[in-house]
Amino acid sequence: MHILVTNDDGPPSPHSSPYIHCLVKHLEDAGHAVSVCLPHTQRSWIGKAHMIGQTLKPMYYTPSSDIHGEDDEGTIRHLPSTAADADEWVLIDGTPASCVQIGLYHFFQDKGPIDLVISGPNYGRNTTSVFALSSGTLGAALEAAVCRRKAVALSFAFFSRNHDPLIIEAACRHGIRVIEALYRQWPADDSVDVYSVNVPLVEGVENHKTLWADMLQNYWREGSCFQEIEGETGDAEEEEARIRQGEIETGSTVQEKKGHKHKHFKWAPRMSDVYKSVEESGPGNDGRIVRDGNTSITPMKANFAISHPERAAKEFDFESSYKALPVRENSKQVGEATGAAEALRALIAYEDPYVQPLIVAALNATFPQGLVQLVTNVPTTDDFSIAKFVDSPKSKVIQITPYELIDFEFAATHSTSCLINSYMIRKALIRKHYLSATVDHWVAKNPDSPLKQHVKRSESFEVDYAEFLDDALVEAFDLRESMDRNAEADRDEPSSREWWILKPGMSDRGQGIRLFSTMEELQGIFDGWEADRPDSDDEDDQTQDQGSQKEGGDCITASHLRHFVAQPYIHPPLLFDKRKFHIRTYVLCTGSLAVHVYKHMLALFAAKAYSAPWQSPDDIESFLTNTCLQDSPNENSVRRFWDLPLPQTQLSGIFEQICSVTGEVFEAAARVMPVHFQTLPNAFEVFGLDFLVDEAGTTWLLEVNAFPDFKQTGEDLSEIVEGFWRGVMRVSVAKFLGVDAAQCEDEGDMALVRDVDLGRR
């Protein structure tokens, strides 16, 4: 790639431009052709300005060999070098935006067309609108954008004066990695002109999160950003350094006398205003993300959009009195609502810092600005009521919160104006022992159902105490017969046995899952759990025990020691890199009842190489693919399903099996277990379904999860989760509100796999 680099800090300098040389060196090491055109001196806070009437003159700069040099800052010439191998930087006595114009059209043509313009790395962050609207770094990138060039504004946010060269090197490597990925993924629909990337100068930045971010809308508070001074101001570079460090925190004074007093003024922005606005803001914006030590990416258009697009092209009414239009809010407390009486409200408080900003981003991307009022400060008290957030009974409201906070009573009495994000009862699917009964009943009535071929028949049983295990299995005929056969098999050939997997019916996150093949092994599992249970039956002790188990560890709590399912273990599974994996499929159910499967599925891998159950039945890391049991999901544990090294026809075949089984199992729950799966016309719910593919290519449904753990997707693939929630907004929320959703490239990614009329519409 041929990259033009510019900035607003000028040529390399330990005081005002300490990062530019390091970035250029790393770009060249990455194989890019780099051309550099910079202002000849500090030009921060100048935005996208041009100096009209001034003749701009170039100088030619050769940097030193030391990319972190404190003294040798390179050589400046007034005429270009005549050496054949000279690769000089160009310095212009103008603005950053002017450097872009001159760099694009008047120098460097011998290197071929310029593919990308990088402005930066800026000496300091460019997060929040107060910084961005004045930033010369952003200004140069916007100038490139209006010249129809892809552009990235790169800024390094520092937190101390100790500019460790190793941290700067890591920030450069990480910034280039982000920019290269953005270039590869650049939207072809002109939806993005500029990316603003902010990289924090913190240790280990390459391993920190990189997050999509909205730009925080903030404002200067009361008072001037200029300081009255006596005489001339100091050196521009020194002043900029002081501003960036937050040393200048003064405003103007008010003069009581009449007439003007001659005085001088120095730019002295109150940085505390910016820092305070960040602290007071909600999650998901660029200021908060960088403050937390993570890298932010903000996509931008090179324009100033009107704040209320719904008024565009409508005639102005000279006689109308003021009437507030609905506006988006970053957060709003109860009683602070503004806007028209019929404003649409979205109460979004998912209580998951991973998925919350992705839901908000999906909402903002789907609906026109100003259409929906976003409320994120939702109380978590028992007396929470949606009624406190609406202006009138006709006001439409969406609630996306944890199950415990959903106001089912309000939704039941406002079925045409309130949309909630969960059905009240759905244990026919999400409890393993109920799912087993659902499948059994449905297959008995529909022997040709795909559930017969894609769900292993389970044996369900209840056990209160380990000593009663034998009695609990009286009606588990298939399981008992299997264990009897296994007991008679050659003990030296455990591979000849039929192995089973035991799952507590009400556990999650992989807790309590065990492998067994004989009654002796199964009894040993329950005896071990019995020994781990607390001696006291006191309720507080049990509560404490449950809480401690939920924090971690592969165990089940006392409350889980009742319902169990046992299924024939699927062996051999399909493996990649010698590891077992399962497919996580995100599913949307709406109303009563439409079922959609999100095309972009995940493959979640076990932590260790797979081994047969008889080789290491207690090594859960080899046969459990639940990434909750791993330290953190990464590129080795979570992959895109469609990137797996299989023929496209086989991947498509697996997807078709998943769609068929998904539609069937939800209809089965609705038809044969209506008491335990009750849909609502004004509700939607997202589920996570897990599937396993065996070596023969057959896809098996493992379980159904409500409120799935989206964090398993990992930061690198978070766009999959955001894309799914955009589908939720289009398919469910927009339809309920009766509004048109924004067109987007993933329009067809929500596959409708079942549409059942249950008479509850």
Side-chain angles (χ1 to χ4, degrees), residues 15 123 161 236-246:
H15 306 294
Y123 182 36
R161 296 177 183 270
E237 291 188 359
E238 294 180 0
E239 291 299 319
E240 169 63 11
R242 292 180 63 199
I243 290 172
R244 288 291 179 184
Q245 294 290 356

Side-chain angles (χ1 to χ4, degrees), residues 77-89:
R77 297 182 179 87
H78 291 283
L79 294 176
S81 172
T82 58
D85 60 347
D87 189 16
E88 296 174 308
W89 299 4

Side-chain angles (χ1 to χ4, degrees), residues 540-610:
D540 291 338
D541 291 341
Q542 292 189 23
T543 301
Q544 183 177 2
D545 176 62
Q546 293 171 25
S548 63
Q549 297 294 350
K550 289 179 181 178
E551 289 298 322
D554 176 42
C555 189
I556 59 174
T557 67
S559 64
H560 294 153
L561 284 169
R562 180 175 293 274
H563 302 284
F564 294 87
V565 295
Q567 290 178 321
Y569 183 71
I570 300 170
H571 175 81
L574 183 63
L575 303 178
F576 288 117
D577 298 331
K578 299 181 180 181
R579 289 191 297 162
K580 182 180 176 181
F581 70 96
H582 79 265
I583 299 169
R584 164 53 61 95
T585 304
Y586 293 128
V587 174
L588 167 67
C589 290
T590 63
S592 301
L593 169 75
V595 183
H596 294 79
V597 169
Y598 185 51
K599 180 179 179 180
H600 300 289
M601 302 183 297
L602 303 167
L604 280 68
F605 284 75
K608 295 170 57 176
Y610 179 73

